[in-house]
Protein backbone atom coordinates (compact mmCIF):
# COMPACT_ATOMS: atom_id res chain seq x y z
CA UNK A 1 0.00 0.00 0.00
CA UNK A 2 1.22 3.51 -0.81
CA UNK A 3 2.40 5.81 1.97
CA UNK A 4 1.39 9.48 1.80
CA UNK A 5 3.21 12.13 3.83
CA UNK A 6 2.47 15.84 4.17
CA UNK A 7 5.20 17.88 5.87
CA UNK A 8 4.71 21.57 6.64
CA UNK A 9 7.57 23.94 7.44
CA UNK A 10 7.45 27.62 8.35
CA UNK A 11 10.69 29.41 7.48
CA UNK A 12 12.13 32.16 9.64
CA UNK A 13 11.55 35.13 7.31
CA UNK A 14 15.22 36.04 6.83
CA UNK A 15 16.04 32.42 5.87
CA UNK A 16 13.13 31.87 3.46
CA UNK A 17 15.33 31.73 0.35
CA UNK A 18 17.80 29.35 1.99
CA UNK A 19 14.99 27.09 3.19
CA UNK A 20 13.46 26.89 -0.28
CA UNK A 21 16.89 26.19 -1.80
CA UNK A 22 17.43 23.39 0.76
CA UNK A 23 14.10 21.80 -0.16
CA UNK A 24 14.89 22.10 -3.88
CA UNK A 25 18.27 20.39 -3.37
CA UNK A 26 16.59 17.59 -1.42
CA UNK A 27 13.96 17.21 -4.14
CA UNK A 28 16.63 16.71 -6.80
CA UNK A 29 18.50 14.17 -4.67
CA UNK A 30 15.35 12.21 -3.79
CA UNK A 31 14.09 12.20 -7.38
CA UNK A 32 17.45 10.88 -8.63
CA UNK A 33 18.13 8.25 -5.99
CA UNK A 34 14.88 6.94 -4.53
CA UNK A 35 13.05 4.73 -7.00
CA UNK A 36 10.25 3.98 -4.52
CA UNK A 37 9.38 7.65 -4.21
CA UNK A 38 6.42 8.37 -6.48
CA UNK A 39 5.90 12.03 -5.53
CA UNK A 40 8.11 14.50 -3.67
CA UNK A 41 6.89 18.00 -4.41
CA UNK A 42 7.14 21.38 -2.69
CA UNK A 43 4.13 23.70 -2.53
CA UNK A 44 3.55 27.01 -0.79
CA UNK A 45 0.49 28.39 0.99
CA UNK A 46 -0.65 31.98 0.59
CA UNK A 47 0.74 32.81 4.03
CA UNK A 48 4.23 31.46 3.24
CA UNK A 49 4.16 27.98 4.75
CA UNK A 50 6.07 25.40 2.73
CA UNK A 51 4.31 22.07 2.25
CA UNK A 52 5.96 18.91 0.95
CA UNK A 53 3.53 16.39 -0.49
CA UNK A 54 5.12 12.96 -0.70
CA UNK A 55 4.04 9.55 -1.94
CA UNK A 56 5.98 6.30 -1.61
CA UNK A 57 5.08 3.00 -3.22
CA UNK A 58 5.35 1.14 0.11
CA UNK A 59 6.35 1.32 3.74
CA UNK A 60 9.75 -0.04 2.73
CA UNK A 61 10.23 2.79 0.23
CA UNK A 62 9.32 5.33 2.91
CA UNK A 63 11.74 3.69 5.36
CA UNK A 64 14.48 3.99 2.73
CA UNK A 65 13.64 7.68 2.33
CA UNK A 66 13.93 8.26 6.08
CA UNK A 67 17.45 6.77 5.97
CA UNK A 68 18.39 8.47 2.68
CA UNK A 69 20.94 11.16 1.92
CA UNK A 70 18.35 13.62 0.61
CA UNK A 71 16.42 13.86 3.87
CA UNK A 72 19.61 13.81 5.97
CA UNK A 73 21.02 16.79 4.07
CA UNK A 74 17.70 18.63 4.30
CA UNK A 75 17.55 18.23 8.07
CA UNK A 76 21.06 19.67 8.43
CA UNK A 77 20.33 22.55 6.04
CA UNK A 78 17.13 23.53 7.89
CA UNK A 79 18.73 23.69 11.34
CA UNK A 80 17.71 26.96 13.06
CA UNK A 81 15.99 28.24 9.89
CA UNK A 82 12.40 27.27 10.77
CA UNK A 83 10.08 28.89 13.30
CA UNK A 84 9.58 25.48 14.94
CA UNK A 85 9.66 21.78 14.13
CA UNK A 86 8.13 20.59 10.88
CA UNK A 87 4.60 19.23 11.16
CA UNK A 88 4.85 15.80 9.52
CA UNK A 89 1.68 13.80 8.97
CA UNK A 90 1.36 10.31 7.50
CA UNK A 91 -1.98 9.83 5.80
CA UNK A 92 -4.05 6.72 5.13
CA UNK A 93 -6.25 6.96 2.04
CA UNK A 94 -10.01 6.73 2.18
CA UNK A 95 -10.52 6.39 -1.53
CA UNK A 96 -13.94 6.72 -3.04
CA UNK A 97 -15.24 7.15 -6.53
CA UNK A 98 -12.80 6.58 -9.32
CA UNK A 99 -9.54 4.86 -8.37
CA UNK A 100 -7.46 7.46 -10.22
CA UNK A 101 -9.19 10.45 -8.60
CA UNK A 102 -10.12 9.10 -5.17
CA UNK A 103 -6.64 8.93 -3.65
CA UNK A 104 -3.14 10.21 -4.22
Amino acid sequence: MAVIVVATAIPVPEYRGEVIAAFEAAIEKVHESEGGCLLYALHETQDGKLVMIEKYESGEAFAAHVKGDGLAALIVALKDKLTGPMDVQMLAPHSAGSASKGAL
Side-chain angles (χ1 to χ4, degrees):
M1 175 188 287
V3 174
I4 307 297
V5 176
V6 176
T8 304
I10 304 171
V12 172
E14 59 266 27
Y15 294 118
R16 183 178 180 281
E18 290 177 49
V19 169
I20 290 171
F23 274 107
E24 290 172 347
I27 288 166
E28 286 187 31
K29 192 170 281 194
V30 168
H31 287 182
E32 291 172 0
S33 64
E34 296 182 22
C37 178
L38 304 174
L39 177 68
Y40 197 70
L42 182 63
H43 296 74
E44 187 170 358
T45 66
Q46 289 182 331
D47 62 354
K49 294 175 186 165
L50 300 174
V51 181
M52 286 295 298
I53 300 174
E54 309 170 28
K55 182 177 183 179
Y56 304 89
E57 65 185 13
S58 64
E60 292 81 13
F62 176 69
H65 169 71
V66 170
K67 295 176 185 174
D69 293 339
L71 182 58
L74 178 62
I75 290 168
V76 170
L78 295 180
K79 186 172 181 354
D80 299 324
K81 294 183 175 92
L82 301 179
T83 62
M86 277 199 286
D87 176 26
V88 179
Q89 298 182 40
M90 293 184 69
L91 308 177
H94 287 269
S95 56
S98 116
S100 65
K101 295 179 184 180
L104 284 177

Coordinates of all heavy atoms in Angstrom, one line a residue:
M1 N 0.8 -1.2 0.0 CA 0.0 0.0 0.0 C 0.9 1.2 0.0 O 1.9 1.3 0.7 CB -0.9 0.0 1.2 CG -1.7 1.3 1.3 SD -2.6 1.5 2.8 CE -3.9 0.3 2.6
A2 N 0.5 2.3 -0.7 CA 1.2 3.5 -0.8 C 1.2 4.2 0.5 O 0.3 4.1 1.3 CB 0.6 4.4 -1.9
V3 N 2.3 5.0 0.8 CA 2.4 5.8 2.0 C 2.4 7.3 1.5 O 3.2 7.7 0.6 CB 3.7 5.5 2.7 CG1 3.9 6.5 3.9 CG2 3.7 4.1 3.2
I4 N 1.5 8.1 2.1 CA 1.4 9.5 1.8 C 1.9 10.3 3.0 O 1.5 10.0 4.1 CB -0.1 9.9 1.5 CG1 -0.7 9.0 0.4 CG2 -0.2 11.4 1.1 CD1 0.0 9.1 -0.9
V5 N 2.7 11.3 2.8 CA 3.2 12.1 3.8 C 3.0 13.6 3.4 O 3.3 13.9 2.3 CB 4.7 11.9 4.1 CG1 5.3 12.8 5.1 CG2 4.9 10.4 4.5
V6 N 2.6 14.4 4.4 CA 2.5 15.8 4.2 C 3.3 16.5 5.3 O 3.0 16.3 6.5 CB 1.0 16.3 4.2 CG1 1.0 17.9 4.1 CG2 0.2 15.7 3.1
A7 N 4.3 17.2 4.9 CA 5.2 17.9 5.9 C 5.2 19.4 5.6 O 5.4 19.9 4.5 CB 6.6 17.4 5.7
T8 N 4.8 20.1 6.7 CA 4.7 21.6 6.6 C 5.8 22.2 7.4 O 6.1 21.8 8.6 CB 3.3 22.0 7.2 OG1 2.3 21.4 6.5 CG2 3.2 23.5 7.1
A9 N 6.5 23.2 6.8 CA 7.6 23.9 7.4 C 7.3 25.4 7.3 O 6.8 25.9 6.3 CB 8.9 23.6 6.8
I10 N 7.6 26.2 8.4 CA 7.4 27.6 8.3 C 8.8 28.2 8.5 O 9.5 28.2 9.6 CB 6.5 28.1 9.5 CG1 5.2 27.4 9.4 CG2 6.4 29.6 9.4 CD1 4.2 27.7 10.6
P11 N 9.3 28.8 7.4 CA 10.7 29.4 7.5 C 10.7 30.7 8.3 O 9.8 31.5 8.3 CB 11.0 29.8 6.0 CG 9.9 29.3 5.2 CD 8.8 28.9 6.1
V12 N 11.8 30.9 9.0 CA 12.1 32.2 9.6 C 12.3 33.1 8.5 O 13.0 32.8 7.5 CB 13.4 32.1 10.5 CG1 13.8 33.5 11.0 CG2 13.2 31.1 11.7
P13 N 11.6 34.3 8.5 CA 11.6 35.1 7.3 C 12.9 35.4 6.7 O 13.0 35.4 5.4 CB 10.9 36.4 7.8 CG 10.0 35.9 8.9 CD 10.8 34.8 9.6
E14 N 13.9 35.7 7.4 CA 15.2 36.0 6.8 C 15.9 34.8 6.2 O 16.9 35.0 5.4 CB 16.1 36.7 7.8 CG 16.5 35.9 9.1 CD 15.6 36.3 10.2 OE1 14.4 36.7 10.0 OE2 16.0 36.1 11.4
Y15 N 15.4 33.6 6.5 CA 16.0 32.4 5.9 C 15.2 31.8 4.8 O 15.5 30.7 4.3 CB 16.3 31.4 6.9 CG 17.4 31.8 7.9 CD1 17.0 31.9 9.3 CD2 18.7 32.1 7.5 CE1 18.0 32.3 10.2 CE2 19.6 32.4 8.5 CZ 19.3 32.6 9.8 OH 20.2 32.9 10.7
R16 N 14.1 32.5 4.4 CA 13.1 31.9 3.5 C 13.8 31.4 2.2 O 13.6 30.2 1.8 CB 12.1 32.9 3.1 CG 11.0 32.4 2.2 CD 9.9 33.4 1.9 NE 8.9 32.9 1.1 CZ 9.0 32.8 -0.3 NH1 10.1 33.1 -0.9 NH2 8.1 32.2 -1.0
G17 N 14.7 32.2 1.6 CA 15.3 31.7 0.4 C 16.2 30.5 0.6 O 16.2 29.6 -0.3
E18 N 16.9 30.5 1.7 CA 17.8 29.3 2.0 C 17.0 28.1 2.2 O 17.4 27.0 1.9 CB 18.7 29.7 3.2 CG 19.7 30.7 3.0 CD 20.5 31.0 4.2 OE1 21.0 30.1 4.9 OE2 20.7 32.2 4.5
V19 N 15.8 28.2 2.9 CA 15.0 27.1 3.2 C 14.4 26.5 1.9 O 14.5 25.3 1.7 CB 13.8 27.5 4.2 CG1 12.8 26.4 4.2 CG2 14.4 27.8 5.5
I20 N 14.0 27.4 1.0 CA 13.5 26.9 -0.3 C 14.6 26.2 -1.1 O 14.4 25.1 -1.6 CB 12.8 28.0 -1.1 CG1 11.5 28.5 -0.4 CG2 12.6 27.6 -2.5 CD1 10.9 29.7 -0.9
A21 N 15.8 26.8 -1.1 CA 16.9 26.2 -1.8 C 17.2 24.8 -1.2 O 17.6 23.9 -1.9 CB 18.1 27.1 -1.7
A22 N 17.1 24.7 0.1 CA 17.4 23.4 0.8 C 16.4 22.3 0.3 O 16.8 21.2 0.0 CB 17.4 23.5 2.3
F23 N 15.1 22.7 0.3 CA 14.1 21.8 -0.2 C 14.3 21.4 -1.6 O 14.2 20.2 -2.0 CB 12.7 22.4 0.0 CG 12.1 22.2 1.4 CD1 12.0 23.2 2.3 CD2 11.6 20.9 1.7 CE1 11.4 23.0 3.5 CE2 11.1 20.7 3.0 CZ 11.0 21.8 3.9
E24 N 14.7 22.4 -2.5 CA 14.9 22.1 -3.9 C 16.1 21.1 -4.1 O 16.0 20.2 -4.9 CB 15.1 23.4 -4.7 CG 13.8 24.2 -4.8 CD 14.0 25.6 -5.4 OE1 15.1 26.1 -5.5 OE2 13.0 26.2 -5.7
A25 N 17.1 21.3 -3.3 CA 18.3 20.4 -3.4 C 17.9 19.0 -2.9 O 18.2 18.0 -3.6 CB 19.4 20.9 -2.5
A26 N 17.1 18.9 -1.9 CA 16.6 17.6 -1.4 C 15.7 16.9 -2.5 O 15.8 15.7 -2.7 CB 15.8 17.7 -0.1
I27 N 14.9 17.7 -3.1 CA 14.0 17.2 -4.1 C 14.8 16.6 -5.3 O 14.5 15.5 -5.7 CB 13.0 18.3 -4.7 CG1 12.0 18.7 -3.6 CG2 12.4 17.9 -6.0 CD1 11.2 20.0 -3.9
E28 N 15.8 17.3 -5.7 CA 16.6 16.7 -6.8 C 17.3 15.4 -6.4 O 17.3 14.4 -7.1 CB 17.7 17.7 -7.2 CG 17.1 18.9 -8.0 CD 18.2 19.8 -8.6 OE1 19.3 19.3 -8.8 OE2 17.9 21.0 -8.7
K29 N 17.8 15.4 -5.2 CA 18.5 14.2 -4.7 C 17.5 13.0 -4.5 O 17.8 11.9 -4.9 CB 19.2 14.5 -3.3 CG 20.1 13.4 -2.9 CD 21.0 13.8 -1.7 CE 22.1 14.7 -2.2 NZ 23.1 15.0 -1.3
V30 N 16.4 13.3 -4.0 CA 15.3 12.2 -3.8 C 14.9 11.7 -5.1 O 14.8 10.5 -5.4 CB 14.2 12.7 -2.9 CG1 13.0 11.7 -2.9 CG2 14.7 12.9 -1.5
H31 N 14.6 12.6 -6.1 CA 14.1 12.2 -7.4 C 15.1 11.3 -8.1 O 14.8 10.4 -8.8 CB 13.8 13.4 -8.2 CG 12.5 14.1 -7.9 ND1 12.1 15.2 -8.5 CD2 11.6 14.0 -6.8 CE1 10.9 15.7 -8.0 NE2 10.7 14.9 -6.9
E32 N 16.4 11.6 -7.9 CA 17.5 10.9 -8.6 C 17.7 9.5 -8.0 O 18.1 8.6 -8.7 CB 18.7 11.7 -8.7 CG 18.7 12.9 -9.5 CD 19.9 13.8 -9.4 OE1 20.8 13.5 -8.6 OE2 19.9 14.9 -10.1
S33 N 17.6 9.4 -6.7 CA 18.1 8.3 -6.0 C 17.1 7.3 -5.3 O 17.5 6.3 -4.9 CB 19.2 8.7 -4.9 OG 18.5 9.5 -3.9
E34 N 15.9 7.7 -5.2 CA 14.9 6.9 -4.5 C 13.8 6.5 -5.5 O 12.8 7.1 -5.7 CB 14.3 7.7 -3.4 CG 15.3 8.1 -2.3 CD 14.7 8.8 -1.1 OE1 13.5 8.7 -0.9 OE2 15.5 9.5 -0.4
G35 N 14.0 5.3 -6.0 CA 13.0 4.7 -7.0 C 11.7 4.5 -6.4 O 10.7 4.5 -7.2
G36 N 11.5 4.2 -5.1 CA 10.3 4.0 -4.5 C 9.5 5.2 -4.2 O 8.3 5.2 -3.7
C37 N 10.1 6.4 -4.4 CA 9.4 7.7 -4.2 C 8.6 8.0 -5.5 O 9.2 8.2 -6.5 CB 10.4 8.8 -3.9 SG 9.6 10.4 -3.6
L38 N 7.3 8.1 -5.3 CA 6.4 8.4 -6.5 C 6.1 9.9 -6.6 O 5.8 10.3 -7.7 CB 5.1 7.6 -6.3 CG 5.3 6.1 -6.2 CD1 3.9 5.4 -5.9 CD2 5.9 5.5 -7.4
L39 N 6.2 10.6 -5.5 CA 5.9 12.0 -5.5 C 6.7 12.7 -4.4 O 6.6 12.2 -3.3 CB 4.4 12.3 -5.4 CG 3.9 13.7 -5.3 CD1 4.1 14.4 -6.6 CD2 2.5 13.8 -4.9
Y40 N 7.4 13.7 -4.7 CA 8.1 14.5 -3.7 C 8.1 15.9 -4.2 O 9.0 16.3 -5.0 CB 9.5 13.9 -3.5 CG 10.2 14.3 -2.3 CD1 9.9 13.8 -1.0 CD2 11.4 15.2 -2.3 CE1 10.6 14.2 0.1 CE2 12.1 15.5 -1.2 CZ 11.6 15.0 0.0 OH 12.3 15.3 1.2
A41 N 7.1 16.7 -3.8 CA 6.9 18.0 -4.4 C 6.6 19.1 -3.4 O 5.9 18.9 -2.4 CB 5.7 17.9 -5.3
L42 N 7.3 20.2 -3.6 CA 7.1 21.4 -2.7 C 6.0 22.3 -3.2 O 5.9 22.6 -4.4 CB 8.5 22.1 -2.6 CG 8.5 23.4 -1.7 CD1 8.3 22.9 -0.2 CD2 9.8 24.1 -1.9
H43 N 5.2 22.7 -2.3 CA 4.1 23.7 -2.5 C 4.2 24.8 -1.5 O 4.8 24.6 -0.4 CB 2.8 23.0 -2.5 CG 2.6 22.0 -3.5 ND1 3.2 20.7 -3.5 CD2 1.9 22.0 -4.7 CE1 2.9 20.0 -4.5 NE2 2.1 20.8 -5.3
E44 N 3.5 25.9 -1.7 CA 3.6 27.0 -0.8 C 2.1 27.5 -0.6 O 1.4 27.7 -1.5 CB 4.4 28.1 -1.3 CG 4.6 29.3 -0.3 CD 5.7 30.2 -0.8 OE1 6.4 30.1 -1.8 OE2 5.9 31.2 0.0
T45 N 1.8 27.8 0.7 CA 0.5 28.4 1.0 C 0.5 29.9 0.8 O 1.6 30.5 0.7 CB 0.1 28.1 2.4 OG1 1.0 28.8 3.3 CG2 0.1 26.6 2.7
Q46 N -0.6 30.5 0.8 CA -0.6 32.0 0.6 C 0.0 32.7 1.7 O 0.5 33.8 1.5 CB -2.1 32.5 0.5 CG -2.7 32.0 -0.9 CD -4.1 32.6 -1.0 OE1 -4.8 32.7 0.0 NE2 -4.5 32.8 -2.2
D47 N 0.1 32.1 2.9 CA 0.7 32.8 4.0 C 2.2 32.4 4.2 O 2.8 32.7 5.2 CB -0.1 32.6 5.3 CG -0.2 31.2 5.8 OD1 0.3 30.3 5.0 OD2 -0.7 30.9 6.9
G48 N 2.8 31.7 3.2 CA 4.2 31.5 3.2 C 4.7 30.2 3.8 O 5.9 29.9 3.9
K49 N 3.8 29.3 4.3 CA 4.2 28.0 4.8 C 4.6 27.1 3.6 O 4.0 27.2 2.5 CB 3.0 27.3 5.5 CG 2.6 28.0 6.7 CD 1.4 27.3 7.3 CE 0.9 28.1 8.5 NZ -0.5 27.7 8.9
L50 N 5.6 26.3 3.8 CA 6.1 25.4 2.7 C 5.5 24.0 3.0 O 5.7 23.5 4.2 CB 7.6 25.4 2.7 CG 8.2 26.8 2.4 CD1 9.7 26.7 2.5 CD2 7.8 27.3 1.0
V51 N 5.0 23.4 2.0 CA 4.3 22.1 2.2 C 4.9 21.1 1.3 O 4.8 21.3 0.0 CB 2.8 22.2 2.1 CG1 2.1 20.8 2.3 CG2 2.2 23.2 3.0
M52 N 5.5 20.0 1.8 CA 6.0 18.9 1.0 C 4.9 17.9 0.9 O 4.3 17.4 1.9 CB 7.2 18.3 1.5 CG 8.5 19.1 1.4 SD 9.0 19.3 -0.3 CE 9.3 17.6 -0.8
I53 N 4.5 17.5 -0.3 CA 3.5 16.4 -0.5 C 4.3 15.2 -1.1 O 5.0 15.4 -2.1 CB 2.4 16.8 -1.4 CG1 1.7 18.0 -0.8 CG2 1.4 15.6 -1.6 CD1 0.6 18.6 -1.6
E54 N 4.3 14.1 -0.4 CA 5.1 13.0 -0.7 C 4.3 11.7 -0.8 O 3.3 11.5 -0.1 CB 6.2 12.7 0.4 CG 6.9 14.0 0.8 CD 7.8 13.8 2.0 OE1 8.2 12.7 2.3 OE2 8.0 14.9 2.7
K55 N 4.7 10.8 -1.8 CA 4.0 9.6 -1.9 C 5.1 8.5 -2.2 O 6.0 8.7 -3.1 CB 3.0 9.6 -3.1 CG 2.3 8.3 -3.3 CD 1.3 8.4 -4.4 CE 0.5 7.1 -4.6 NZ -0.6 7.3 -5.6
Y56 N 5.0 7.4 -1.5 CA 6.0 6.3 -1.6 C 5.2 5.0 -2.0 O 4.1 4.9 -1.5 CB 6.8 6.1 -0.3 CG 7.5 7.4 0.1 CD1 6.8 8.3 0.9 CD2 8.7 7.7 -0.4 CE1 7.5 9.5 1.2 CE2 9.4 8.9 -0.1 CZ 8.7 9.8 0.7 OH 9.3 11.0 1.0
E57 N 5.8 4.2 -2.8 CA 5.1 3.0 -3.2 C 4.8 2.0 -2.1 O 3.9 1.2 -2.2 CB 5.8 2.3 -4.4 CG 7.2 1.7 -4.0 CD 7.9 1.2 -5.2 OE1 7.5 1.5 -6.4 OE2 8.9 0.5 -5.0
S58 N 5.5 2.1 -1.0 CA 5.4 1.1 0.1 C 6.0 1.7 1.4 O 6.7 2.7 1.4 CB 6.0 -0.2 -0.3 OG 7.4 0.0 -0.4
G59 N 5.7 1.0 2.5 CA 6.4 1.3 3.7 C 7.9 1.2 3.7 O 8.6 1.9 4.3
E60 N 8.3 0.2 2.9 CA 9.7 0.0 2.7 C 10.4 1.1 2.0 O 11.5 1.6 2.3 CB 10.0 -1.3 2.0 CG 9.6 -2.6 2.8 CD 8.1 -2.9 2.7 OE1 7.4 -2.3 1.9 OE2 7.7 -3.8 3.5
A61 N 9.7 1.6 1.0 CA 10.2 2.8 0.2 C 10.3 4.0 1.1 O 11.3 4.8 1.1 CB 9.4 3.1 -1.0
F62 N 9.3 4.2 2.0 CA 9.3 5.3 2.9 C 10.5 5.2 3.9 O 11.2 6.1 4.2 CB 8.0 5.5 3.6 CG 8.0 6.6 4.7 CD1 8.1 7.9 4.3 CD2 8.0 6.3 6.0 CE1 8.2 8.9 5.2 CE2 8.0 7.3 7.0 CZ 8.1 8.6 6.6
A63 N 10.6 3.9 4.4 CA 11.7 3.7 5.4 C 13.1 4.0 4.7 O 14.0 4.6 5.4 CB 11.7 2.2 5.8
A64 N 13.2 3.7 3.4 CA 14.5 4.0 2.7 C 14.7 5.5 2.6 O 15.8 6.0 2.8 CB 14.5 3.3 1.3
H65 N 13.6 6.2 2.4 CA 13.6 7.7 2.3 C 14.1 8.3 3.7 O 15.0 9.2 3.7 CB 12.3 8.3 2.0 CG 12.2 9.7 2.1 ND1 12.9 10.6 1.3 CD2 11.6 10.5 3.0 CE1 12.6 11.9 1.7 NE2 11.9 11.8 2.7
V66 N 13.6 7.8 4.8 CA 13.9 8.3 6.1 C 15.4 8.1 6.3 O 16.0 8.9 7.0 CB 13.1 7.6 7.2 CG1 13.6 7.9 8.6 CG2 11.6 8.0 7.0
K67 N 16.0 7.0 5.8 CA 17.4 6.8 6.0 C 18.3 7.4 4.9 O 19.5 7.2 4.9 CB 17.7 5.3 6.0 CG 17.0 4.6 7.2 CD 17.2 3.1 7.2 CE 16.5 2.4 8.3 NZ 16.5 1.0 8.2
G68 N 17.7 8.0 3.9 CA 18.4 8.5 2.7 C 19.2 9.8 2.9 O 19.0 10.5 3.8
D69 N 20.1 10.0 1.9 CA 20.9 11.2 1.9 C 20.2 12.5 1.7 O 20.5 13.5 2.2 CB 22.0 11.0 0.8 CG 23.0 9.9 1.1 OD1 23.1 9.5 2.3 OD2 23.7 9.5 0.2
G70 N 19.1 12.4 0.9 CA 18.4 13.6 0.6 C 17.7 14.2 1.9 O 17.9 15.4 2.1
L71 N 17.1 13.4 2.6 CA 16.4 13.9 3.9 C 17.5 14.3 4.9 O 17.3 15.3 5.6 CB 15.5 12.8 4.4 CG 14.7 13.2 5.7 CD1 13.9 14.5 5.5 CD2 13.8 12.1 6.2
A72 N 18.6 13.5 5.0 CA 19.6 13.8 6.0 C 20.2 15.2 5.7 O 20.4 16.0 6.6 CB 20.7 12.7 5.9
A73 N 20.5 15.5 4.4 CA 21.0 16.8 4.1 C 20.0 17.9 4.3 O 20.4 19.0 4.8 CB 21.5 16.8 2.6
L74 N 18.7 17.6 4.1 CA 17.7 18.6 4.3 C 17.6 19.0 5.8 O 17.5 20.2 6.1 CB 16.3 18.1 3.8 CG 15.2 19.0 4.0 CD1 15.4 20.4 3.3 CD2 13.9 18.4 3.6
I75 N 17.6 18.0 6.6 CA 17.6 18.2 8.1 C 18.7 19.1 8.5 O 18.5 20.1 9.3 CB 17.5 16.9 8.8 CG1 16.2 16.2 8.6 CG2 17.7 17.1 10.3 CD1 16.1 14.8 9.0
V76 N 19.9 18.9 8.1 CA 21.1 19.7 8.4 C 20.9 21.1 7.9 O 21.1 22.1 8.6 CB 22.4 19.0 7.9 CG1 23.5 20.0 8.0 CG2 22.6 17.7 8.6
A77 N 20.5 21.2 6.7 CA 20.3 22.5 6.0 C 19.2 23.4 6.7 O 19.3 24.6 6.7 CB 20.0 22.4 4.5
L78 N 18.2 22.8 7.3 CA 17.1 23.5 7.9 C 17.4 23.9 9.3 O 16.6 24.7 9.9 CB 15.8 22.7 7.8 CG 15.3 22.4 6.4 CD1 14.0 21.6 6.5 CD2 15.0 23.7 5.6
K79 N 18.5 23.4 9.9 CA 18.7 23.7 11.3 C 18.7 25.2 11.6 O 19.4 26.0 11.0 CB 20.1 23.1 11.7 CG 20.3 23.2 13.2 CD 21.6 22.4 13.6 CE 22.0 22.4 15.0 NZ 21.3 23.1 16.0
D80 N 17.9 25.6 12.6 CA 17.7 27.0 13.1 C 17.1 27.9 12.0 O 17.2 29.1 12.2 CB 19.0 27.5 13.6 CG 19.6 26.7 14.8 OD1 18.8 26.3 15.6 OD2 20.8 26.6 14.9
K81 N 16.6 27.4 10.9 CA 16.0 28.2 9.9 C 14.5 28.2 9.8 O 13.9 28.8 9.0 CB 16.6 27.9 8.5 CG 18.1 28.2 8.5 CD 18.7 28.0 7.1 CE 20.1 28.4 7.1 NZ 21.1 27.4 7.4
L82 N 13.9 27.4 10.7 CA 12.4 27.3 10.8 C 11.9 27.9 12.1 O 12.6 27.9 13.1 CB 12.0 25.8 10.7 CG 12.4 25.0 9.4 CD1 11.9 23.6 9.5 CD2 11.9 25.7 8.1
T83 N 10.6 28.3 12.1 CA 10.1 28.9 13.3 C 9.8 27.8 14.4 O 9.6 28.2 15.5 CB 8.8 29.6 13.0 OG1 7.8 28.7 12.5 CG2 9.0 30.8 12.0
G84 N 9.8 26.6 14.0 CA 9.6 25.5 14.9 C 9.8 24.2 14.2 O 10.1 24.2 13.0
P85 N 9.5 23.1 14.8 CA 9.7 21.8 14.1 C 8.7 21.6 13.0 O 7.6 22.2 13.0 CB 9.4 20.7 15.2 CG 8.9 21.4 16.4 CD 9.1 22.9 16.2
M86 N 9.1 20.9 12.0 CA 8.1 20.6 10.9 C 7.0 19.8 11.4 O 7.1 18.9 12.3 CB 8.8 19.8 9.8 CG 9.6 20.7 8.8 SD 9.9 19.9 7.2 CE 11.2 18.8 7.7
D87 N 5.8 20.0 10.9 CA 4.6 19.2 11.2 C 4.5 18.2 10.1 O 4.3 18.4 8.9 CB 3.4 20.1 11.1 CG 2.1 19.3 11.3 OD1 2.1 18.3 12.0 OD2 1.0 19.8 10.9
V88 N 4.8 16.9 10.5 CA 4.8 15.8 9.5 C 3.7 14.9 9.8 O 3.5 14.4 10.9 CB 6.2 15.0 9.6 CG1 6.2 13.9 8.6 CG2 7.4 16.0 9.4
Q89 N 2.8 14.7 8.8 CA 1.7 13.8 9.0 C 1.7 12.7 7.9 O 1.9 13.0 6.7 CB 0.4 14.6 8.8 CG 0.3 15.7 9.9 CD -1.0 16.5 9.7 OE1 -2.1 15.9 9.5 NE2 -1.0 17.8 9.9
M90 N 1.5 11.5 8.4 CA 1.4 10.3 7.5 C -0.1 10.1 7.3 O -0.9 10.0 8.3 CB 2.1 9.1 8.1 CG 3.6 9.3 8.1 SD 4.4 7.8 8.7 CE 4.1 6.7 7.3
L91 N -0.6 9.9 6.1 CA -2.0 9.8 5.8 C -2.3 8.4 5.3 O -1.6 7.9 4.5 CB -2.4 10.9 4.7 CG -2.0 12.3 5.0 CD1 -2.4 13.2 3.9 CD2 -2.6 12.8 6.3
A92 N -3.5 8.0 5.7 CA -4.0 6.7 5.1 C -5.2 7.1 4.2 O -6.1 7.9 4.6 CB -4.5 5.8 6.3
P93 N -5.2 6.6 3.0 CA -6.2 7.0 2.0 C -7.6 6.4 2.4 O -7.7 5.3 3.0 CB -5.8 6.4 0.7 CG -4.9 5.2 1.1 CD -4.3 5.6 2.4
H94 N -8.6 7.2 2.1 CA -10.0 6.7 2.2 C -10.6 7.0 0.8 O -11.3 7.9 0.6 CB -10.8 7.5 3.2 CG -10.5 7.2 4.6 ND1 -11.1 6.2 5.3 CD2 -9.5 7.6 5.5 CE1 -10.6 6.0 6.5 NE2 -9.6 6.9 6.6
S95 N -10.1 6.2 -0.1 CA -10.5 6.4 -1.5 C -12.0 6.1 -1.8 O -12.6 5.2 -1.1 CB -9.6 5.6 -2.5 OG -9.7 4.2 -2.1
A96 N -12.5 6.9 -2.6 CA -13.9 6.7 -3.0 C -14.0 7.2 -4.5 O -13.2 7.9 -5.0 CB -14.9 7.5 -2.1
G97 N -15.1 6.8 -5.1 CA -15.2 7.2 -6.5 C -14.2 6.5 -7.4 O -13.9 5.3 -7.2
S98 N -13.7 7.2 -8.4 CA -12.8 6.6 -9.3 C -11.4 6.3 -8.7 O -11.0 7.2 -7.9 CB -12.7 7.5 -10.5 OG -11.4 8.0 -10.7
A99 N -10.8 5.2 -9.0 CA -9.5 4.9 -8.4 C -8.5 5.9 -8.7 O -7.6 6.2 -7.8 CB -9.1 3.5 -8.9
S100 N -8.5 6.5 -9.9 CA -7.5 7.5 -10.2 C -7.7 8.8 -9.6 O -6.7 9.6 -9.5 CB -7.4 7.6 -11.7 OG -8.6 8.2 -12.3
K101 N -8.9 9.1 -9.2 CA -9.2 10.5 -8.6 C -9.5 10.4 -7.1 O -9.5 11.5 -6.5 CB -10.4 11.1 -9.3 CG -10.1 11.4 -10.8 CD -11.4 12.0 -11.4 CE -11.2 12.2 -12.9 NZ -12.4 12.8 -13.5
G102 N -9.7 9.2 -6.6 CA -10.1 9.1 -5.2 C -9.0 9.0 -4.1 O -9.3 9.0 -3.0
A103 N -7.8 9.0 -4.6 CA -6.6 8.9 -3.6 C -5.4 9.4 -4.4 O -5.3 9.3 -5.6 CB -6.5 7.5 -3.1
L104 N -4.4 9.9 -3.6 CA -3.1 10.2 -4.2 C -2.4 9.0 -4.6 O -2.5 8.0 -4.0 CB -2.3 11.0 -3.2 CG -2.6 12.4 -3.0 CD1 -1.8 13.1 -1.9 CD2 -2.5 13.2 -4.3

